[in-house]
């Protein structure tokens, strides 16, 4: 097939960037050396022009399987055939142990004498630049981008051959024999020599131990441990070691709808997504990662210190200019064009981000470390700005491109922003602006009067809207309303009637909601499905919540990973893997496990 299903991929990374490894052994996506660097492998977006790192046995027939070494981000791809069994171990030595910027592939014959073929075909600068290939020795090759100073070195334990712009190898391994490949980003004219085979073995064992030690710090010991740990490992892979920022997803322009225009770049830090991620990490006991994100907000997020409104998203190093461009030479995944890099949504007004940020600060101040006075003064400026601007219409959480509305979710999270700012100030005895309490209460009353529809017995997407919105599921989760309040239960019933299909949840009814600027259809949003599960568990519907949660776990790919959406046939759609989905899973698992334990304890007779 020209394009593998999105769910056919696993992910590896070094806390600088990631690579997607297919079930066929091909690395079809990697931006290098950083998350937001131009791609060198992007066959997922154009099988001919994107570039890939192919490695596979030459079996006539085979089955393939993938698995992670337990509690790590070291990925095994197995090829099983009547003629033999081969295995690829893929990993990237992590930044905390090494300098990063390396991709390592170890091939092992498990059974039989197996012949393998490798083709490394980088395509620099999103496939826009040419490159030269220089063979240094039989087992070492240098790729140099024509347009800039980007240099890649490929080293191998088997002979390499230059084939035009690519490098190839064909080799045979007997049982237990191995072959190693190392692709690294090097500085032009400063190439370090090393003991190749010893380094591969050492870095593999140390990388395995790093991930095992990291996951061993988790405080979660409940049901669904494997899935929670895998989601935590995904969130860690999407966290920048250098900056502490957390990406929404590591890919760009994987389509939300095949053959249509919903293709966006998610390799940035959304304040919303990162704040929820920090919340999930705090729940699991990862205060270090939470502190790194707080440091990013405090020190590097350029708008936090000024009088300007907070941006919704930033690059990993804190800059805001993320101009959107189209790569017209790429055909897109399964001809889904345009292929976009950058994201024009950075200029949108999305007022909910104030609530998400202040909620994360509140939790960090409570469960991590007390925030500094100077950071508080910076946040104070932002809340003061919000007192004068929360009534504005905005583009909302779904980043509609069809016109601003007074969205319920934005109003709800503005309430959260004031509520958490008040709580922080009172806890820390900071001077409190009395307007914050006044504006918080105004928002509270406006939600119950302007957004409540007596006929439909539900809180609607915006005043006068014809539909509810899945983001409303966060009303009890942010403690705005009791999960057992009659108004909430009737709203939940309306959401089930309009948006829920089995355990899967749509964002909104496309035919009835605020226009989003697109005409294509979309799948169900997996993070909304996990919100739904948590609402069910909090409302006391534990059997239903557990049933739907475990059904949702069945939609994960073979490695426990999720993209942003699920299509009609359960296919994964959108950028992959998606941080928001995995943090939704963690939150739902954490709460459902607690509710089940509490319920069991209540039924015990002493």
């Amino acid at each position: 097939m020209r394009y593998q299903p999105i769910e056919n991929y696993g992910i590896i990374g070094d806390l600088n960037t990631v690579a997607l490894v297919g079930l066929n052994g091909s690395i079809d996506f990697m931006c290098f050396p950083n998350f937001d660097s131009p791609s060198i492998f992007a066959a997922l977006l154009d099988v001919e022009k994107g570039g890939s790192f192919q490695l596979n046995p030459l079996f006539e027939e085979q089955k393939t399987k993938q698995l992670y070494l337990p509690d790590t981000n070291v990925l095994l791809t197995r090829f099983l055939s009547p003629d033999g069994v081969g295995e690829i171990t893929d990993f990237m030595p992590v930044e905390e142990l090494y300098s990063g910027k390396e991709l390592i592939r170890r091939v092992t014959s498990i059974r039989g004498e197996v012949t393998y073929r490798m083709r490394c075909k980088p395509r620099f600068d999103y496939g826009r630049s040419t490159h030269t290939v220089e063979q240094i020795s039989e087992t070492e090759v240098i790729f140099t981008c024509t347009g800039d100073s980007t240099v890649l070195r490929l080293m191998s334990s088997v002979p390499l051959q230059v084939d035009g712009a690519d490098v190839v190898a064909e080799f045979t391994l007997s049982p237990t024999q191995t072959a190693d490949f190392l692709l690294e980003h090097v500085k032009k004219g400063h190439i370090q020599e090393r003991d190749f085979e010893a380094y591969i073995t050492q870095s593999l064992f140390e990388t395995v131990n790093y991930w095992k030690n990291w996951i061993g710090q988790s405080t979660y010991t409940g049901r669904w441990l494997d899935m929670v740990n895998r989601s935590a490992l995904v969130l860690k892979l999407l966290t920048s070691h250098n900056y502490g920022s957390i990406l929404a997803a590591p890919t760009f322009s994987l389509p939300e709808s095949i053959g249509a225009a919903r293709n966006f770049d998610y390799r940035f830090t959304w304040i919303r997504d990162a704040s929820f991620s920090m919340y999930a990490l705090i729940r699991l006991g990862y205060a270090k990662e939470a502190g790194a994100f707080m440091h990013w907000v405090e020190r590097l997020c350029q708008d936090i210190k000024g009088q300007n409104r907070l941006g919704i998203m930033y690059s990993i190093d804190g800059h805001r200019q993320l101009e959107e461009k189209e790569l017209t030479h790429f055909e897109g995944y399964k001809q889904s064009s345009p292929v976009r890099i950058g994201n024009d949504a950075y200029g949108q007004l999305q007022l909910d981000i104030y609530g998400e940020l202040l909620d994360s600060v509140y939790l960090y101040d409570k469960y991590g470390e007390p925030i500094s006075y100077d950071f508080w003064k910076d946040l104070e400026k932002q809340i003061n700005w919000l007192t004068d601007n929360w009534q504005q219409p905005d583009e909302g959480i779904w980043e509609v491109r069809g016109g601003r509305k007074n969205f319920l979710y934005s109003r709800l999270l503005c309430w959260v922003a004031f509520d958490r700012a008040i709580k922080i100030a009172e806890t820390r005895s900071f001077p409190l602006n009395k307007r914050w309490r006044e504006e918080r209460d105004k928002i509270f009353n406006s939600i119950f009067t302007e957004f409540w529809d007596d006929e439909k017995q539900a809180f609607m997407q915006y005043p006068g809207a014809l539909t509810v919105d899945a983001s409303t599921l966060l009303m009890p989760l942010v403690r705005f309303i009791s999960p057992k309040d009659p108004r909430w239960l009737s709203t939940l019933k309306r959401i089930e009637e309009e948006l829920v299909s089995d355990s899967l949840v749509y964002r909104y009814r496309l035919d009835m909601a605020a226009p989003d600027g697109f005409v294509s259809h979309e799948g169900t949003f997996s993070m909304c499905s996990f919100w739904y599960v948590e609402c069910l568990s909090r409302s006391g519907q534990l059997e239903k919540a557990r049933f739907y949660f475990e059904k949702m776990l069945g939609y994960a790919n073979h490695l426990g990973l999720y993209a942003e959406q699920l299509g009609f046939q359960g296919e994964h759609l959108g950028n992959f893997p998606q941080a928001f989905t995995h943090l939704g899973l963690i939150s739902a698992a954490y709460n459902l496990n607690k509710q089940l334990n509490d319920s069991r304890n209540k039924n015990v007779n002493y």
Side-chain angles (χ1 to χ4, degrees):
M1 67 184 82
R2 280 173 57 82
Y3 291 95
Q4 291 196 81
I6 293 171
E7 61 268 25
N8 273 23
Y9 288 88
I11 180 178
I12 58 174
D14 63 359
L15 310 182
N16 286 316
T17 191
V18 304
L20 299 190
V21 186
L23 272 167
N24 62 356
S26 181
I27 294 178
D28 291 337
F29 185 92
M30 184 166 73
C31 295
F32 203 59
N34 299 311
F35 293 111
D36 54 359
S37 297
S39 63
I40 59 168
F41 303 132
L44 252 181
L45 297 165
D46 194 300
V47 70
E48 302 294 339
K49 302 174 184 176
S52 61
F53 192 161
Q54 301 164 8
L55 182 55
N56 59 277
L58 301 180
F59 293 140
E60 290 187 8
E61 59 176 287
Q62 65 182 19
K63 295 185 295 183
T64 57
K65 297 190 178 213
Q66 274 185 331
L67 67 153
Y68 284 107
L69 288 178
D71 292 334
T72 77
N73 283 311
V74 175
L75 182 66
L76 304 185
T77 305
R78 286 180 179 154
F79 303 86
L80 303 102
S81 165
D83 300 319
V85 176
E87 182 176 271
I88 303 172
T89 302
D90 284 307
F91 68 101
M92 300 177 76
V94 292
E95 170 76 11
E96 289 188 37
L97 300 177
Y98 299 93
S99 60
K101 304 175 182 176
E102 298 170 332
L103 167 67
I104 294 176
R105 316 197 74 183
R106 166 163 281 184
V107 189
T108 306
S109 281
I110 307 299
R111 297 191 183 98
E113 190 171 80
V114 181
T115 299
Y116 300 85
R117 179 178 294 150
M118 184 281 298
R119 178 174 288 273
C120 184
K121 43 186 295 187
R123 298 296 182 262
F124 291 85
D125 189 26
Y126 304 109
R128 295 180 296 190
S129 296
T130 59
H131 64 272
T132 59
V133 186
E134 179 185 3
Q135 185 135 19
I136 305 301
S137 70
E138 187 181 51
T139 58
E140 182 177 345
V141 172
I142 299 292
F143 299 93
T144 303
C145 179
T146 305
D148 58 33
S149 59
T150 304
V151 179
L152 301 178
R153 175 167 70 166
L154 177 64
M155 300 180 67
S156 170
S157 61
V158 298
L160 302 172
Q161 291 183 319
V162 175
D163 182 16
D166 307 337
V167 171
V168 299
E170 191 167 305
F171 54 97
T172 301
L173 300 177
S174 299
T176 72
Q177 285 188 325
T178 63
D180 295 322
F181 299 90
L182 184 152
L183 183 69
E184 62 179 338
H185 184 273
V186 296
K187 292 182 178 180
K188 197 168 186 177
H190 295 82
I191 298 176
Q192 177 184 0
E193 297 303 322
R194 66 177 77 199
D195 186 339
F196 177 70
E197 293 189 22
Y199 177 74
I200 300 293
T201 301
Q202 176 189 350
S203 62
L204 172 58
F205 282 105
E206 290 186 352
T207 299
V208 167
N209 289 335
Y210 171 86
W211 289 117
K212 284 181 175 291
N213 290 337
W214 187 83
I215 205 65
Q217 298 168 35
S218 172
T219 57
Y220 181 83
T221 58
R223 304 165 181 87
W224 312 292
L225 181 63
D226 287 346
M227 289 297 288
V228 169
N229 282 355
R230 179 52 50 199
S231 291
L233 285 162
V234 170
L235 293 182
K236 179 63 172 175
L237 276 180
L238 300 185
T239 302
S240 167
H241 171 73
N242 292 326
Y243 299 105
S245 49
I246 304 171
L247 272 71
T251 56
F252 61 91
S253 280
L254 290 180
E256 299 174 21
S257 181
I258 301 297
R262 294 174 179 271
N263 319 311
F264 302 110
D265 191 346
Y266 277 16
R267 297 171 300 156
F268 307 112
T269 297
W270 269 255
I271 295 294
R272 175 189 306 115
D273 299 42
S275 296
F276 277 114
S277 296
M278 201 206 71
Y279 172 58
L281 290 167
I282 284 178
R283 275 188 158 176
L284 299 180
Y286 290 108
K288 177 183 175 182
E289 283 72 17
F293 175 66
M294 282 293 108
H295 174 84
W296 178 82
V297 174
E298 182 177 3
R299 305 296 182 198
L300 296 173
C301 187
Q302 60 185 8
D303 292 329
I304 200 75
K305 298 180 181 299
Q307 299 292 341
N308 297 330
R309 65 178 172 87
L310 192 64
I312 68 164
M313 56 192 287
Y314 298 86
S315 64
I316 57 174
D317 63 359
H319 291 94
R320 186 173 175 182
Q321 295 299 317
L322 310 173
E323 181 184 357
E324 190 173 291
K325 299 177 182 177
E326 294 184 5
L327 302 178
T328 56
H329 61 291
F330 276 177
E331 69 175 12
Y333 177 79
K334 294 187 176 181
Q335 289 79 54
S336 301
S337 61
V339 174
R340 296 184 175 95
I341 54 173
N343 197 312
D344 280 348
Y346 79 87
Q348 289 188 353
L349 176 65
Q350 296 177 25
L351 294 170
D352 62 285
I353 59 173
Y354 290 89
E356 285 125 3
L357 177 61
L358 264 295
D359 195 35
S360 67
V361 173
Y362 165 73
L363 291 169
Y364 183 70
D365 187 74
K366 184 175 182 179
Y367 297 109
E369 295 181 358
I371 63 170
S372 68
Y373 170 78
D374 289 332
F375 186 27
W376 172 249
K377 296 304 288 184
D378 291 334
L379 292 170
E380 191 177 57
K381 295 173 187 174
Q382 297 294 328
I383 301 302
N384 287 338
W385 181 92
L386 194 61
T387 58
D388 298 321
N389 291 278
W390 64 262
Q391 298 189 50
Q392 290 188 56
D394 69 352
E395 278 86 5
I397 182 176
W398 306 128
E399 300 181 353
V400 299
R401 299 191 179 192
R404 294 179 176 180
K405 296 282 187 182
N406 288 310
F407 288 109
L408 169 59
Y409 182 76
S410 298
R411 195 64 54 88
L412 170 70
L413 269 292
C414 286
W415 176 89
V416 171
F418 289 119
D419 183 71
R420 302 314 192 257
I422 293 167
K423 283 181 167 63
I424 295 170
E426 290 178 338
T427 301
R428 296 290 303 282
S429 299
F430 291 140
L432 179 60
N433 185 334
K434 66 177 182 179
R435 281 196 62 195
W436 296 356
R437 200 181 301 276
E438 295 170 0
E439 301 305 317
R440 182 192 65 175
D441 295 346
K442 284 181 187 176
I443 295 172
F444 186 90
N445 291 327
S446 79
I447 289 176
F448 277 94
T449 55
E450 298 173 44
F451 293 86
W452 175 258
D453 188 312
D454 269 327
E455 180 182 345
K456 293 185 170 60
Q457 288 291 292
F459 293 101
M460 307 304 285
Q461 186 185 45
Y462 57 89
L466 300 175
T467 183
V468 288
D469 188 306
S471 63
T472 307
L473 290 164
L474 281 162
M475 290 183 76
L477 306 190
V478 298
R479 293 175 170 76
F480 176 85
I481 192 170
S482 165
K484 297 182 181 180
D485 187 289
R487 289 205 190 201
W488 170 249
L489 293 177
S490 63
T491 299
L492 183 59
K493 184 173 184 292
R494 173 65 60 174
I495 290 173
E496 290 178 320
E497 292 170 354
E498 290 189 15
L499 305 180
V500 177
S501 173
D502 193 33
S503 61
L504 307 178
V505 181
Y506 291 93
R507 294 190 297 178
Y508 44 71
R509 287 273 301 274
L510 286 171
D511 58 331
M512 301 170 67
D516 62 8
F518 296 94
V519 295
S520 58
H521 299 290
E522 66 177 17
T524 57
F525 266 61
S526 294
M527 64 180 177
C528 298
S529 298
F530 289 122
W531 294 345
Y532 173 52
V533 166
E534 189 164 351
C535 285
L536 289 174
S537 68
R538 287 176 182 267
S539 68
Q541 302 177 66
L542 292 181
E543 289 185 10
K544 186 176 181 180
R546 182 168 188 171
F547 179 59
Y548 280 168
F549 180 68
E550 292 182 338
K551 290 193 81 171
M552 267 305 297
L553 296 185
Y555 283 104
N557 83 343
H558 56 288
L559 296 167
L561 308 180
Y562 291 87
E564 184 177 33
Q565 301 180 32
L566 292 168
F568 187 77
Q569 301 176 63
E571 70 274 19
H572 288 222
L573 296 169
N575 287 302
F576 173 86
Q578 177 86 353
F580 225 146
T581 303
H582 286 277
L583 65 92
L585 185 156
I586 291 170
S587 185
Y590 184 95
N591 181 264
L592 181 54
N593 186 72
K594 181 179 182 299
Q595 298 281 351
L596 288 168
N597 286 345
D598 290 347
S599 175
R600 184 182 62 184
N601 292 336
K602 287 178 184 177
N603 295 327
V604 173
N605 294 318
Y606 292 98

